[in-house]
């Protein structure tokens, strides 16, 4: 990891650690530049009144997202769900209620303070089918092919290695698994410098991908059926959006869109190559669980 990436990650960790401590002390937190109570773009407003009423006050106060991904995830009884960057646990707790006692909701976060807050919120909610894990979303501490649905709420934009996030998400999903993510996405016409003019990295703005970049990143990891639906503007040329995609089953895993899969270009052709010279295309595809059609 470069020094700049390390500095950005530390700035994110420090901001959200401070937010967790603020909530623990009785305040509120937010992802955007304004306090949560004054920021209509980030916080608990996308959740329904019924969902908000069912949550501990600490989970609502710690809401840092730009959407309600569990509502878009089409969760079913018995599903195993993973929330990337779970924060105070709001989406984990809502998902746990939807998947029932036969399912399980995992939350992954790198911030000790947020994990402590999430555990307290889960105890207050009486949730028994949840588990919170410490770790980075670029290196998910779960086995391959064990998760039915991956959700995330305004967190992937904070990563300095989004390709790794997409690859790890693909790895942990079962065949036919899906993602339902809320995130900030930029218009394709905005350069990275123009995005940075609209807000900082830790504030969920500077690190955003464009619509095309998000789609290409998911397709390169092996996902199909990518849908990116903007929901509302959060800055000039930048939008909160719902992103959905599917990990294809073995029967449907033919040559993916744009002839890329699992980090391999010209996938399933004689000219296929990996982005990492030390790794063969066959090894890259085997590690990611995708293959060419028969």
């Amino acid at each position: 990891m470069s020094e700049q990436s390390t500095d950005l990650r530390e700035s994110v960790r420090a901001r959200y650690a401070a937010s967790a401590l603020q909530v623990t002390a009785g305040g509120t937190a937010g992802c955007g530049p304004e306090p949560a109570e004054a920021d209509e773009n980030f916080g608990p407003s996308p959740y329904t009144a019924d969902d908000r009423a069912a949550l501990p006050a600490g989970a609502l106060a710690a809401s840092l997202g730009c959407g309600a991904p569990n509502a878009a995830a089409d969760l079913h009884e018995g599903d195993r769900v993973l929330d990337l960057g779970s924060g105070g646990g709001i989406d984990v707790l809502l998902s746990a209620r939807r998947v029932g006692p036969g399912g399980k909701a995992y939350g992954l976060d790198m911030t000790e303070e947020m994990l402590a807050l999430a555990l307290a919120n889960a105890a207050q909610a009486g949730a028994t089918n949840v588990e919170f894990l410490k770790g980075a979303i670029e290196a998910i501490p779960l086995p391959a092919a064990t998760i039915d649905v991956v959700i995330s709420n305004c967190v992937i934009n904070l990563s300095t290695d989004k390709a790794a996030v997409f690859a790890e998400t693909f790895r942990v999903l079962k065949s036919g698994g899906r993602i339902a993510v809320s995130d900030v996405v930029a218009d394709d016409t905005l350069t990275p410098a123009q995005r940075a003019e609209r807000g900082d990295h830790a504030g969920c703005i500077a690190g955003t991908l464009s619509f095309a970049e998000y789609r290409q990143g998911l397709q390169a990891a092996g996902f199909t059926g990518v849908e990116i639906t903007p929901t509302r503007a959060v800055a000039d040329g930048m939008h909160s959006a719902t992103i959905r995609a599917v990990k294809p089953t073995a029967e449907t895993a033919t040559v993916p869109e744009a002839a890329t899969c699992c980090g391999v270009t010209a996938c399933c052709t004689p000219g296929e190559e990996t982005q990492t010279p030390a790794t063969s295309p066959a090894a890259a595809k085997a590690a990611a669980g995708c293959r060419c059609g028969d």
Side-chain angles (χ1 to χ4, degrees):
M1 184 181 296
S2 70
E3 183 176 348
Q4 181 183 20
S5 295
T6 300
D7 290 345
L8 286 173
R9 175 175 284 190
E10 175 55 25
S11 72
V12 170
R13 190 209 62 77
R15 176 175 289 198
Y16 294 100
S19 293
L21 293 174
Q22 186 174 356
V23 170
T24 301
T28 57
C31 181
E34 300 294 333
E37 63 270 19
D39 193 338
E40 297 179 354
N41 295 320
F42 300 94
S45 61
Y47 298 96
T48 67
D50 286 345
D51 280 345
R52 293 197 299 269
L55 291 164
L60 287 171
S63 177
L64 307 172
C66 57
N70 58 82
D74 188 28
L75 298 178
H76 304 290
E77 289 276 341
D79 277 345
R80 296 170 70 86
V81 186
L82 169 64
D83 180 18
L84 301 180
S86 49
I90 184 170
D91 291 304
V92 174
L93 296 179
L94 289 173
S95 296
R97 295 176 63 222
R98 287 175 167 83
V99 302
K104 189 164 185 178
Y106 294 92
L108 174 64
D109 206 281
M110 69 175 181
T111 310
E112 291 275 7
E113 294 84 354
M114 277 296 183
L115 289 168
L117 178 61
L119 288 169
N121 288 332
Q124 185 175 344
T128 57
N129 58 339
V130 303
E131 183 176 346
F132 290 97
L133 307 169
K134 184 181 180 182
I137 62 175
E138 298 87 357
I140 299 171
L142 286 172
T146 54
I147 299 296
D148 296 293
V149 186
V150 171
I151 62 174
S152 186
N153 199 347
C154 205
V155 171
I156 294 175
N157 67 79
L158 297 171
S159 173
T160 58
D161 189 353
K162 296 174 181 63
V165 176
F166 295 148
E168 277 290 274
T169 300
F170 191 92
R171 180 185 66 82
V172 300
L173 279 171
K174 298 177 182 177
S175 177
R178 58 201 186 277
I179 66 169
V181 169
S182 295
D183 212 351
V184 177
V185 183
D187 285 345
D188 293 335
T189 55
L190 291 183
T191 66
Q194 289 170 326
R195 298 169 212 174
E197 292 171 355
R198 287 155 171 76
D200 67 5
H201 188 96
C204 309
I205 298 296
T208 57
L209 296 174
S210 70
F211 284 89
E213 290 165 346
Y214 222 117
R215 180 179 299 277
Q216 291 163 3
L218 288 169
Q219 290 173 346
F223 286 100
T224 59
V226 179
E227 299 177 358
I228 305 176
T229 306
T231 55
R232 64 182 184 275
V234 299
D236 182 22
M238 308 188 79
H239 317 267
S240 62
T242 300
I243 299 102
R244 298 181 181 87
V246 176
K247 178 176 180 175
T249 62
E251 290 75 19
T252 61
T254 56
V255 180
E257 303 163 57
T260 60
C261 65
C262 313
V264 177
T265 60
C267 189
C268 302
T269 72
E272 63 182 6
E273 297 179 349
T274 64
Q275 297 176 353
T276 306
T279 303
S280 70
K285 288 186 290 186
C290 76
R291 63 181 180 82
C292 300
D294 295 326

